[in-house]
Amino acid sequence: MTNPLQQAAQAIVAGKHVIAVTGAGISVESGIPDFRSPSGIWNTYPPEQYATIDAFMADPDRVWNMWYDLGAMLSDAAPNPGHHALTALQDMGRLDAVITQNIDNLHEEAGCTTVIEYHGNAKHMRCLDCQRVVPLDMDKRTSKAPRCTCGGIMKPDVVLFGDLIPEEAVRAADHAAENADVVIIVGTSATVYPAAQLPITAKHNGAFIIECNLEATDFTARITDAFLEGPAGTTLPTLVEAVLEILQ
Ligand code: APR
């Protein structure tokens, strides 16, 4: 019986359409806390007060205070070996796309070229009135919600609870999940839909599911074929090495 690492590497080598689905766990080793672990962001900033569209509309200044704090964390963060391992698979022609729930831009900064930002990108902000999107400039932080040149309130260009997932991201992610024959799930608690539906869709279409996490999730017993336990900054580079060994 081959071990999960060998099974995962063999599946990637044999795969024709390999994709990754990532969550906050892949960025923890870049210094960005995840959301639901004991030291997670939602323990400091309860999502019902800071991460719903209703909370934002009720008090944009207050909600912006949290997003500026998070923005400061993101601006100090750099891709870690986990991000770079996915880029290495892409550069070998063994990864078609990354569907990420993360808003930290780290997959792009690691050199991934097909990144489907399912929950937006906190490096940008969007006008609620004219929809203009501009970079979020941390140097212009004030205690007030930033305003657009049209006078409208700017909102971080991320999907808050109660927001719709951007149409283009839904289309691209659904297409990728429906056509994948291997999915590498990294660092997600599998608790937030519709993102969590994507690996399930792929599984129903016959995909081989690899899961990298510190602990089991709802996916593990339900759809995972090869579970690689440990921090993504270790498990993903190890997986790339195992793929390279087979290809040699
Ligand atoms: N390596 C691998 N996995 C890790 C690591 C690590 N170094 N650190 C934490 N994890 C795992 C945790 O065990 C957990 O299963 O990453 C997962 C993080 O789960 P969440 O904090 O719930 O983050 P995520 O799944 O991305 O949340 C989904 O919820 O709050 C919304 O919009 C937000 O995109 C987010 C969505």
Side-chain angles (χ1 to χ4, degrees):
M1 172 70 171
T2 50
N3 67 37
L5 176 65
Q6 285 310 316
Q7 285 179 311
Q10 285 159 6
I12 290 170
V13 170
K16 299 276 178 295
H17 299 288
V18 182
I19 66 170
V21 174
T22 66
I26 197 173
S27 297
V28 167
E29 290 155 274
S30 295
I32 304 172
D34 64 13
F35 291 98
R36 293 173 181 83
S37 293
S39 55
I41 292 170
W42 293 154
N43 293 315
T44 311
Y45 296 102
E48 62 280 0
Q49 296 175 35
Y50 290 95
T52 69
I53 188 64
D54 292 344
F56 182 84
M57 299 310 286
D59 190 347
D61 298 345
R62 181 168 178 273
V63 171
W64 260 105
N65 191 41
M66 173 263 189
W67 285 99
Y68 272 129
D69 286 349
L70 186 59
M73 257 191 273
L74 301 189
S75 44
D76 294 341
N80 67 57
H83 296 99
H84 290 303
L86 291 182
T87 306
L89 285 177
Q90 164 196 275
D91 293 347
M92 285 184 231
R94 302 281 168 179
L95 188 74
D96 290 355
V98 175
I99 303 170
T100 188
Q101 301 172 84
N102 300 340
I103 55 175
D104 55 32
N105 204 57
L106 290 182
H107 287 300
E108 290 91 338
E109 290 172 29
C112 274
T113 50
T114 307
V115 182
I116 301 166
E117 295 177 327
Y118 209 67
H119 289 160
N121 187 318
K123 301 259 177 181
H124 310 129
M125 54 188 185
R126 179 186 294 270
C127 176
L128 288 176
D129 289 354
C130 71
Q131 298 304 308
R132 186 162 163 261
V133 177
V134 297
L136 198 169
D137 184 349
M138 295 299 295
D139 296 336
K140 291 186 180 153
R141 175 173 188 164
T142 68
S143 61
K144 293 282 182 198
R147 291 277 174 166
C148 177
T149 46
C150 81
I153 292 180
M154 302 302 279
K155 170 180 165 289
D157 198 23
V158 298
V159 176
L160 299 178
F161 291 105
D163 263 336
L164 291 174
I165 309 288
E167 218 171 286
E168 177 46 30
V170 170
R171 190 202 59 73
D174 284 352
H175 178 76
E178 284 155 12
N179 291 282
D181 51 16
V182 179
V183 181
I184 310 169
I185 305 169
V186 189
T188 183
S189 62
T191 50
V192 173
Y193 285 77
Q197 183 60 38
L198 294 164
I200 297 168
T201 299
K203 178 71 176 183
H204 288 166
N205 289 351
F208 185 92
I209 304 295
I210 301 163
E211 186 180 11
C212 303
N213 203 309
L214 298 176
E215 59 191 13
T217 68
D218 281 357
F219 285 148
T220 311
R222 193 170 157 199
I223 63 169
T224 297
D225 296 301
F227 186 80
L228 305 182
E229 184 173 355
T234 305
T235 53
L236 286 174
T238 306
L239 177 58
V240 170
E241 278 164 35
V243 167
L244 286 168
E245 257 170 52
I246 297 171
L247 291 172
Q248 271 158 8

